[in-house]
Amino acid sequence: MSKKKHSNLSLYNTSLKKSMGKANSVENSASSCGKQVENQPKNVEKLQKKVENSSKACAKPVDNPQKSVGKDHKTGGKSVQKTVIKVTDLYKSFKLPTERAAGLKQAIFNWLKGVKGYTRQEVLRGINFDVKEGEFLGIVGRNGSGKSTLLKLLANIYYPESGKIEVEGTLVPFIELGVGFNPELTGRENVYLNGALLGFSSKEMDAMYDEIVQFAELEPFMDAKLKNYSSGMQVRLAFSIAIRAKGDILILDEVLAVGDAAFQEKCNNYFASLHGNQTVILVTHSMENVRRFCDRAILIENGEIAADGRPDDIAKAYENLWS
């Protein structure tokens, strides 16, 4: 009996120790959980502080937001802001008439030989470029390469066969001297007539009129009929209207050599003052003007853009066409 009681007692003690160990482990786990629960608000507060600090860092103003934008080498360090002209995949061709059939017999022979009444001339093929605000762009190339056709497409005088032209702003074309002038009207009336053709109202032309006349240096002759003007006076008036009209984009085709030496120098000084202030597209054969005025130049050859880059590089490429 004593042995049996002793064995039962030992079993009781061991089970009691196991239950006490489990109770201690439960207390320890409960206390650790309590500590985690107590520390959880502190962790949340730390996380909130990190979020606030990161949001403050993101909200700091940028010291120079346009620092990454490239500076043009002739615009006085001013960054180019936006694209005002974008030309995409532009194509233009013309139908040139061939020999005409004198009669029905000749027409039948031409038809049998496959001779059409015209031949198609591809003038521009896949032209792509853009112009930035305040940029002075020069376009050069041989005669017949498509330079003037491109300007007339930009001015909506011609329409492209395919492709897209996007223009943002008021465009003032000066492609041919004296276009839109009426010789039976006075100089004053022709100023307002040209302004209307360019899309300006009478009030807008009233504000521009004095500057136009002063630049042309024709104050005593504005009430005389245009047919009594010399060719030089007409050119000066037309040129003054084009450059003094308050447009966003100025398009010029071979017009820098107008008037006498004094007026040419006046025009050159005016163009030198345009850098970064007005967008200008100039078609010219003068590499001196390209190097002097342009920020960028394009060489067109056989209806395609052969080169696009710095004025000096394009001028050399143009001069190498004859070497």
Side-chain angles (χ1 to χ4, degrees), residues 40-314:
Q40 187 173 4
K42 296 181 180 180
N43 295 331
V44 172
E45 291 178 0
K46 291 181 180 179
L47 183 60
Q48 288 179 346
K49 289 182 179 180
K50 289 182 180 179
V51 173
E52 290 177 359
N53 293 332
S54 62
S55 62
K56 289 179 181 179
C58 294
K60 289 182 179 180
V62 180
D63 294 334
N64 190 2
Q66 294 182 347
K67 187 176 182 180
S68 61
V69 180
K71 293 182 179 180
D72 193 88
H73 67 285
K74 281 191 178 182
T75 55
K78 294 182 180 179
S79 58
V80 180
Q81 295 182 354
K82 62 180 180 181
T83 299
V84 293
I85 295 179
K86 186 174 182 61
V87 178
T88 307
D89 202 22
L90 193 66
Y91 285 83
K92 180 62 178 178
S93 65
F94 295 101
K95 294 180 179 179
L96 303 179
T98 58
E99 58 175 312
R100 300 176 61 183
L104 180 59
K105 181 179 179 180
Q106 186 64 39
I108 294 174
F109 278 122
N110 289 342
W111 180 76
L112 293 174
K113 293 178 182 179
V115 177
K116 296 181 179 180
Y118 63 90
T119 58
R120 184 178 295 275
Q121 181 183 7
E122 299 288 341
V123 181
L124 296 174
R125 297 177 293 178
I127 300 294
N128 293 277
F129 70 94
D130 55 16
V131 183
K132 303 297 183 181
E133 184 180 28
E135 191 173 23
F136 203 123
L137 175 67
I139 300 178
V140 301
R142 304 176 196 249
N143 288 331
S145 60
K147 307 182 302 299
S148 297
T149 300
L150 177 59
L151 291 195
K152 291 177 181 178
L153 286 168
L154 294 175
N156 281 331
I157 298 174
Y158 292 157
Y159 293 98
E161 291 183 359
S162 63
K164 190 176 182 181
I165 300 175
E166 300 174 76
V167 178
E168 183 176 348
T170 305
L171 191 146
V172 178
F174 191 60
I175 297 175
E176 295 182 10
L177 294 174
V179 173
F181 277 173
N182 188 334
E184 296 298 326
L185 298 179
T186 65
R188 184 188 305 273
E189 292 168 339
N190 274 285
V191 169
Y192 283 88
L193 175 62
N194 270 259
L197 293 175
L198 294 174
F200 295 104
S201 64
S202 296
K203 291 183 179 180
E204 290 173 327
M205 291 308 299
D206 288 338
M208 304 177 199
Y209 180 80
D210 290 338
E211 291 184 6
I212 292 172
V213 176
Q214 289 175 5
F215 192 88
E217 301 174 354
L218 295 174
E219 293 94 335
F221 310 101
M222 293 309 295
D223 292 322
K225 288 188 176 182
L226 195 71
K227 64 182 181 181
N228 297 323
Y229 282 27
S230 67
S231 58
M233 294 169 66
Q234 293 183 22
V235 166
R236 285 160 58 181
L237 182 60
F239 188 70
S240 300
I241 293 172
I243 65 175
R244 285 300 179 182
K246 304 298 182 182
D248 300 315
I249 305 167
L250 182 61
I251 294 181
L252 305 171
D253 187 2
E254 289 291 354
V255 293
L256 289 185
V258 296
D260 53 21
F263 190 76
Q264 288 184 27
E265 184 63 25
K266 186 177 183 179
C267 295
N268 290 335
N269 294 334
Y270 173 77
F271 282 115
S273 68
L274 290 180
H275 287 297
N277 299 319
Q278 187 174 11
T279 307
V280 182
I281 300 177
L282 171 67
V283 165
T284 181
H285 287 284
S286 172
M287 296 304 103
E288 180 183 355
N289 289 332
V290 169
R291 291 184 172 99
R292 180 176 180 181
F293 299 116
C294 297
D295 307 313
R296 174 174 147 243
I298 292 174
L299 172 63
I300 297 181
E301 181 70 8
N302 296 324
E304 299 177 343
I305 294 181
D308 183 348
R310 294 173 59 87
D312 190 57
D313 297 336
I314 301 303

